[in-house]
Amino acid sequence: MKPSPENKTIFRSMWGWKGKSASLNQTAIAASPSLPTKLVQFAQDNVETVLKTLNTSPEGLSELQSDLRLDKIGLNEIAHEKPPKWYVQLLKTFQNPLAILLIILAAIALLTGDIRAAVIIISMVIFSVILRFSQEFRSSEAAEKLREMVHTTATVRRKDPRKDISPSLAQDMGLTLNLDVPDRYEIPIKYLVPGDVVLLAAGDMIPADVRLIAAKDLFISQGALTGESLPIEKQSNLTSDQLQIQNPLELANLCFLGTNVISGTGTAVVAETGSNTYLGSLAKTVVGRKTMTSFDKGINDVSLMLLRFMLVMAPAVFMINGLIKKNWGEAFFFALSVAVGLTPEMLPMIVTANLARGAIAMSEKKVIVKNIDSIQNFGAMDILCTDKTGTLTQDKIVLEMHLDVYGEECEEVLELAYLNSFYQTGLKNLLDVAVLEHYELHESLNVESKFCKIDEIPFDFVRRRMSVVVEEENHHHELICKGAVEEILQACTQFKANDLIQPLDDLFREKVTELNQELNEDGLRVIAVAYKELPLDQRSYSLDDEQNLILIGFIAFLDPPKESAFKAIAALNKSGVQVKVLTGDNQIVTRKTCKDVGLYVHHILLGSEIEALSDEALSDLAETTTIFAKLSPLQKSRIIQVLRSKGHIVGFIGDGINDAAALREADVGISVDTAVDIAKESADIILLEKSLMVLEEGLLEGRKTFGNIVKYIKMGTSSNFGNMFSVLGASALLPFLPMQPVQILFNNLLYDFSQTGIPFDNVDKEYLTKPRKWQVGDIQKFMLYIGPMSSIFDYATFALMWFVFGANTVEHQALFQTGWFVESLMTQTLIVYIIRTPKIPFLQSRPSLPMLLVTLTIMAVALCLPFSPIAPILGFVPLPPQYFLWLGLILSSYCILTQLMKTWFVKKYGYN
């Protein structure tokens, strides 16, 4: 029903609306300065006050009221990040320090007329960027498909305003009254507004932050918000002991957007929508730029290191050549080529190719990589923080024990509990479902033939127990009662053990309470079971019959640990990764679960304790503490932040709303495809299977990827540094350029192509045994020690070409440049086999076939290039046959000396 504009004016006056400004209490529709305080007030007020504050009624809002409020407040949607347009994502891919540096160098080359140099440099950048963009775009598309959900609807009451209009007024307005219009509608939850009255049933998602005005056997799963594994009982009114509670999540008459109904029914009025909800306030904290990760810092540090060397070497080469050769134009282009030579042109592409290959390998292991940079963080991770429910546990309630009053296993307790759950009407809660999974009892008890139901006393929140009455083979009636231990004890006067019924005195009550406490400390949720026999002639039962019961025992429930959890944690520890548990659940249940999966529990740090700690004190405690319980979402994020401040690479796996901030803060955020949307948006990696074993496999893949990236950086920086060190000396000693600018660029281009096999290379098993972090200092040391090795043999080649082959004049500079080009490219390519492993190449560590084929191809190109048709274009001339004999001697000597230097370096500094 859409009223005409004319009628809207009348309706506004009837419903208290004046234009866009409603008479709705502004505290109900404006962003509250304190969301928890406002929700607590709603909870503490009675239903009539709440409805008055929201200017609504038990029948709900009219469509007009809803429309006007929607215009003012906006849609019931929380903030979330939308994937960028393809062209925006493409432009962001260029925001790479090395890519920017190379673009600047290409621009300089282009402006100064060196088109060939500009084309070569830009080709490398474009190739790298397109490869990276294609991988990340495909990953974001896959993640977006996972994020898409079936549109959720809510059942709302809609009041027809015409029901309040007199027939005479309706006639004047030209309206036809139809009092049979439905009062319930299914609408998308995004159209809900404060004041809407919604109906809740099992399986529904709570569509907004709501205040219950009626409830029957209503159980809500708040695990996504709080981490609790068991459903929470909800009711429309608070008990006296809840009136002092200030945490909205602990109040029984409030339900929150993003949680869901497990069983029962309820009616609620919408208190907050969209960004004003509890979930919406969390979403605001995780939308925006993600914190800089270990990988980002590592790439930036490497880039700055190369930039520093370039800023020293390029001007030095420029000045030396300019002063000695007096040709400043030629000196500039040569210095520009040196600058490019010090920059591994293919680093962005090699890094991206490694990460892309890692992403493909991880996808085969049921892992979707949203942010490919996170693969290296995955491998470098030395602390994994995880939630408890569903990761360490099965996220399923099972009946763990059925005990008599002495704590011994008792089959009769299980049988009575089964009959109670079986004959209970209405929707079964998770505990009843766990009891009824013992199907074998149905047959052994002959339930259908031996028993029939007589009556039922339903559960309520005051008694916290429920009873069924069954007749057993026309012999007697039996009232079977189960519920909270304290309430069952109040109704019992006797207990049964070993077929004997005895009085239940105060001393034995204390023993029963102690047994219940021991079971609770083991992480079990305990339900007491009692009964009494009644005569056949009683046909109806009431609350008065729940007295003088006989306590028979207890049933205890648990969210059991996954079978794979113990093995996975052991494997992660062996791989050098500490596992820490960050949960919103209570410490008793968490302690039990962690012990079962092999996690050392020395001290549990609670959220209330964390609030009183400074960041410095918390960082010290966080390193030594394994278990953190009763945490708020921001406390989880803070723990990760202080661990990272201590130099740790921190991963976090979570799937709930309360995990989003922590996922955002971690170096690598890990979620699952069944997670809530906000968790998937905050994650870098999405698991298609929520298992720590999948993580352990991904961890090794990340280390392989990182190992191959570091291989390239070490190879590229050391060989380029060696070449430039040679260039610096040659510039001062030779009357001509040791290599033409285009030859330097082409040399780098061929060498970089020889490294394209690195993403497919093997990684030594020993390298994968512990986390690997960016150690720019180690890379710099490696470059300074290994780089000059090639310079020794470069100078040997200079001497060979100058003294043996007579290439010592400007007229014969082409022969000199060709000879050094071939030797330089051959030594750079051969060094790959030595640098790729700390072991003896080929004998102790073999390269992959793709790596072998690519490097052999480039070496063949180097040998054939002086004799090829394009040789004159590049300034090359054919080399004499004797050159290749000398080349073989130089290369073999180079490999032996470099291997010896590498062995010494590894012993002194290690191999990262």
Side-chain angles (χ1 to χ4, degrees):
M1 180 187 70
K2 290 287 183 184
S4 67
E6 295 80 8
N7 292 336
K8 278 190 176 184
T9 304
I10 298 174
F11 291 158
R12 286 188 184 112
S13 62
M14 291 174 58
W15 287 95
W17 291 86
K18 297 178 182 179
K20 284 286 184 179
S21 300
S23 64
L24 172 65
N25 190 321
Q26 289 303 310
T27 62
I29 63 172
S32 172
S34 176
L35 175 64
T37 303
K38 184 177 176 183
L39 291 175
V40 169
Q41 188 62 53
F42 276 129
Q44 293 174 346
D45 290 341
N46 59 38
V47 173
E48 291 75 15
T49 302
V50 172
L51 294 176
K52 185 177 180 181
T53 301
L54 292 165
N55 196 15
T56 187
S57 69
E59 291 79 30
L61 302 172
S62 70
E63 187 174 357
L64 175 64
Q65 285 180 302
S66 173
D67 288 345
L68 292 173
R69 295 188 188 191
L70 193 63
D71 288 343
K72 186 173 185 66
I73 300 167
L75 294 173
N76 179 28
E77 294 179 331
I78 63 171
H80 68 90
E81 291 188 4
K82 297 180 180 179
K85 300 291 185 182
W86 69 266
Y87 49 85
V88 175
Q89 195 166 350
L90 179 61
L91 289 174
K92 284 184 177 180
T93 313
F94 281 93
Q95 294 177 3
N96 175 292
L98 287 175
I100 293 171
L101 176 59
L102 289 170
I103 290 171
I104 291 172
L105 293 174
I108 293 172
L110 191 62
L111 291 172
T112 52
D114 195 345
I115 298 175
R116 288 183 297 180
V119 169
I120 291 173
I121 299 170
I122 288 295
S123 297
M124 296 302 96
V125 175
I126 291 175
F127 186 57
S128 169
V129 163
I130 289 176
L131 181 62
R132 184 183 187 89
F133 166 74
S134 61
Q135 171 60 34
E136 289 196 344
F137 187 71
R138 286 198 302 267
S139 297
S140 64
E141 278 193 325
E144 184 65 14
K145 288 177 182 177
L146 284 176
R147 199 192 70 79
E148 290 174 358
M149 296 175 61
V150 176
H151 292 295
T152 308
T153 60
T155 303
V156 298
R157 285 179 177 168
R158 278 283 179 263
K159 185 176 182 180
D160 187 346
R162 291 178 296 184
K163 293 181 180 180
D164 294 332
I165 301 174
S166 65
S168 58
L169 179 60
Q171 187 174 2
D172 293 341
M173 295 172 60
L175 295 176
T176 302
L177 294 182
N178 179 11
L179 302 184
D180 296 325
V181 295
D183 62 351
R184 299 183 182 186
Y185 294 89
E186 289 283 334
I187 66 169
I189 64 171
K190 65 181 181 180
Y191 296 126
L192 288 178
V193 294
D196 266 326
V197 174
V198 295
L199 305 178
L200 306 173
D204 288 349
M205 185 185 86
I206 303 298
D209 285 358
V210 301
R211 202 282 198 189
L212 290 170
I213 56 179
K216 181 180 180 182
D217 303 336
L218 186 64
F219 284 80
I220 303 292
S221 172
Q222 291 189 170
L225 279 176
T226 64
E228 295 168 298
S229 54
L230 292 172
I232 305 298
E233 302 170 348
K234 294 289 184 179
Q235 54 189 327
S236 58
N237 296 311
L238 298 182
T239 58
S240 57
D241 60 335
Q242 286 189 314
L243 291 175
Q244 304 304 316
I245 294 175
Q246 295 301 307
N247 182 357
L249 294 171
E250 296 178 6
L251 294 171
N253 59 358
L254 294 178
C255 301
F256 300 89
L257 175 64
T259 61
N260 59 288
V261 180
I262 299 299
S263 62
T265 58
T267 304
V269 60
V270 174
E272 294 287 7
T273 59
S275 296
N276 290 334
T277 61
Y278 190 88
L279 170 58
S281 66
L282 287 178
K284 292 176 186 176
T285 67
V286 298
V287 172
R289 187 174 179 84
K290 198 177 187 297
T291 184
M292 182 173 281
T293 67
S294 165
F295 181 84
D296 302 324
K297 292 174 183 175
I299 285 291
N300 286 345
D301 288 345
V302 169
S303 303
L304 288 173
M305 180 191 73
L306 295 171
L307 184 60
R308 284 195 297 269
F309 274 104
M310 186 191 74
L311 291 175
V312 172
M313 292 291 290
V317 169
F318 172 66
M319 293 302 296
I320 291 171
N321 277 282
L323 291 171
I324 292 175
K325 301 176 180 60
K326 307 299 182 183
N327 187 336
W328 291 97
E330 183 182 74
F332 174 79
F333 288 117
F334 187 68
L336 180 64
S337 301
V338 168
V340 175
L342 273 174
T343 307
E345 298 92 335
M346 295 284 280
L347 179 58
M349 191 280 290
I350 293 292
V351 168
T352 303
N354 271 286
L355 295 174
R357 176 166 166 73
I360 292 169
M362 291 173 74
S363 69
E364 295 170 356
K365 296 179 172 66
K366 299 183 178 180
V367 177
I368 289 180
V369 180
K370 279 179 59 184
N371 174 15
I372 62 174
D373 287 349
S374 64
I375 296 175
Q376 184 275 321
N377 293 325
F378 212 171
M381 178 176 66
D382 62 335
I383 291 179
L384 173 65
C385 297
T386 175
D387 67 346
K388 175 183 69 69
T389 305
T391 305
L392 300 180
T393 66
Q394 296 178 18
D395 200 12
K396 175 187 177 184
I397 303 302
V398 299
L399 177 58
E400 187 79 0
M401 299 178 180
H402 40 93
L403 310 172
D404 65 14
V405 291
Y406 292 109
E408 301 296 328
E409 188 169 308
C410 178
E411 195 67 21
E412 187 177 3
V413 173
L414 179 58
E415 290 173 352
L416 290 176
Y418 184 88
L419 289 171
N420 178 285
S421 295
F422 180 78
Y423 283 114
Q424 175 186 334
T425 57
L427 292 162
K428 315 291 185 186
N429 63 36
L430 292 179
L431 305 183
D432 289 313
V433 171
V435 171
L436 294 174
E437 285 183 351
H438 288 264
Y439 307 110
E440 72 282 357
L441 290 174
H442 198 86
E443 187 174 336
S444 64
L445 289 172
N446 293 320
V447 173
E448 307 289 355
S449 58
K450 288 181 64 176
F451 299 91
C452 69
K453 180 179 177 181
I454 302 301
D455 204 351
E456 177 178 351
I457 307 172
F459 176 91
D460 65 56
F461 285 91
V462 178
R463 292 164 37 250
R464 296 176 64 203
R465 59 180 182 255
M466 69 84 55
S467 301
V468 297
V469 182
V470 296
E471 182 178 307
E472 185 177 359
E473 295 184 314
N474 296 319
H475 183 266
H476 66 273
H477 287 178
E478 192 161 19
L479 184 149
I480 306 169
C481 183
K482 76 176 193 301
V485 174
E486 297 85 354
E487 277 66 24
I488 294 291
L489 279 175
Q490 290 175 9
C492 291
T493 55
Q494 297 173 292
F495 70 91
K496 181 178 181 180
N498 301 320
D499 295 327
L500 294 176
I501 297 176
Q502 304 175 54
L504 182 62
D505 56 24
D506 291 340
L507 181 61
F508 199 81
R509 286 177 189 271
E510 289 182 11
K511 290 182 178 179
V512 169
T513 303
E514 288 176 5
L515 175 60
N516 176 44
Q517 187 173 349
E518 289 174 6
L519 293 172
N520 284 333
E521 288 175 354
D522 279 338
L524 296 163
R525 179 168 180 177
V526 182
I527 299 294
V529 181
Y531 77 102
K532 74 174 180 180
E533 295 184 1
L534 296 160
L536 283 171
D537 55 0
Q538 185 171 341
R539 304 313 297 176
S540 63
Y541 293 84
S542 66
L543 298 179
D544 293 336
D545 293 296
E546 285 185 337
Q547 55 185 327
N548 299 321
L549 302 181
I550 302 168
L551 178 67
I552 189 169
F554 311 95
I555 49 177
F557 301 86
L558 183 69
D559 181 6
K562 289 182 176 179
E563 294 179 4
S564 62
F566 187 93
K567 182 180 177 183
I569 288 172
L572 287 168
N573 286 333
K574 188 177 179 182
S575 298
V577 179
Q578 298 179 56
V579 177
K580 297 181 183 289
V581 176
L582 278 58
T583 180
D585 211 346
N586 69 70
Q587 65 270 34
I588 296 174
V589 174
T590 304
R591 181 187 295 272
K592 165 67 174 172
T593 301
C594 291
K595 283 183 177 178
D596 288 346
V597 298
L599 278 173
Y600 173 70
V601 183
H602 169 63
H603 170 66
I604 296 180
L605 196 59
L606 300 180
S608 56
E609 297 171 323
I610 289 172
E611 281 299 308
L613 296 175
S614 66
D615 284 350
E616 185 178 354
L618 178 59
S619 63
D620 292 335
L621 271 175
E623 285 194 299
T624 58
T625 303
T626 306
I627 314 300
F628 303 82
K630 297 293 286 182
L631 298 178
S632 71
L634 294 181
Q635 285 170 341
K636 290 184 179 183
S637 177
R638 186 182 171 206
I639 290 167
I640 290 172
Q641 190 176 46
V642 298
L643 286 171
R644 292 184 65 207
S645 71
K646 285 285 190 176
H648 295 288
I649 310 301
V650 184
F652 181 80
I653 177 171
D655 63 350
I657 297 164
N658 59 333
D659 296 321
L663 286 166
R664 198 78 173 176
E665 184 63 38
D667 285 293
V668 52
I670 308 159
S671 194
V672 292
D673 66 329
T674 54
V676 296
D677 280 3
I678 190 174
K680 286 189 288 189
E681 286 175 359
S682 302
D684 301 300
I685 290 174
I686 298 175
L687 307 180
L688 299 182
E689 179 181 307
K690 194 174 184 180
S691 167
L692 291 180
M693 289 306 296
V694 175
L695 285 182
E696 202 264 338
E697 293 173 357
L699 191 77
L700 297 180
E701 199 61 50
R703 289 179 186 174
K704 287 179 185 177
T705 301
F706 179 67
N708 284 332
I709 290 173
V710 172
K711 279 180 195 177
Y712 172 76
I713 292 175
K714 284 183 175 180
M715 295 170 193
T717 53
S718 59
S719 63
N720 284 355
F721 177 72
N723 284 342
M724 294 311 105
F725 195 70
S726 302
V727 164
L728 199 60
S731 298
L733 298 172
L734 299 177
F736 48 80
L737 294 177
M739 205 182 292
Q740 294 295 329
V742 70
Q743 292 170 345
I744 290 179
L745 292 173
F746 198 65
N747 181 295
N748 283 323
L749 180 62
L750 289 175
Y751 168 72
D752 285 334
F753 271 118
S754 75
Q755 309 306 298
T756 55
I758 288 179
F760 306 92
D761 193 25
N762 303 323
V763 178
D764 296 335
K765 290 182 180 179
E766 294 81 359
Y767 189 87
L768 304 177
T769 57
K770 64 178 183 178
R772 303 287 176 173
K773 302 179 184 178
W774 286 101
Q775 302 287 350
V776 177
D778 285 353
I779 294 172
Q780 187 169 316
K781 286 176 189 173
F782 194 88
M783 179 181 74
L784 293 174
Y785 279 100
I786 302 297
M789 292 296 100
S790 65
S791 293
I792 294 172
F793 294 94
D794 284 340
Y795 284 114
T797 303
F798 294 166
L800 175 70
M801 302 307 296
W802 185 277
F803 295 109
V804 177
F805 295 108
N808 48 23
T809 62
V810 175
E811 291 75 19
H812 296 94
Q813 66 175 329
L815 179 61
F816 185 100
Q817 292 161 352
T818 304
W820 186 39
F821 178 93
V822 173
E823 181 270 343
S824 174
L825 186 55
M826 292 292 286
T827 53
Q828 287 184 94
T829 308
L830 276 175
I831 201 66
V832 170
Y833 299 118
I834 297 171
I835 293 178
R836 62 169 294 276
T837 174
K839 301 178 179 181
I840 300 173
F842 296 100
L843 297 179
Q844 295 178 330
S845 178
R846 295 182 179 180
S848 66
L849 182 61
M851 178 87 171
L852 194 62
L853 292 175
V854 171
T855 50
L856 288 176
T857 300
I858 294 301
M859 284 192 288
V861 169
L863 294 173
C864 298
L865 194 59
F867 308 97
S868 69
I870 66 168
I873 299 173
L874 297 171
F876 296 136
V877 295
L879 292 165
Q882 300 92 328
Y883 168 85
F884 296 99
L885 295 175
W886 286 101
L887 180 64
L889 178 62
I890 290 172
L891 293 179
S892 57
S893 301
Y894 173 60
C895 290
I896 293 170
L897 184 60
T898 306
Q899 175 64 28
L900 292 173
M901 174 60 76
K902 181 196 70 177
T903 303
W904 173 85
F905 183 90
V906 170
K907 286 181 180 179
K908 184 173 178 65
Y909 297 108
Y911 187 88
N912 184 52

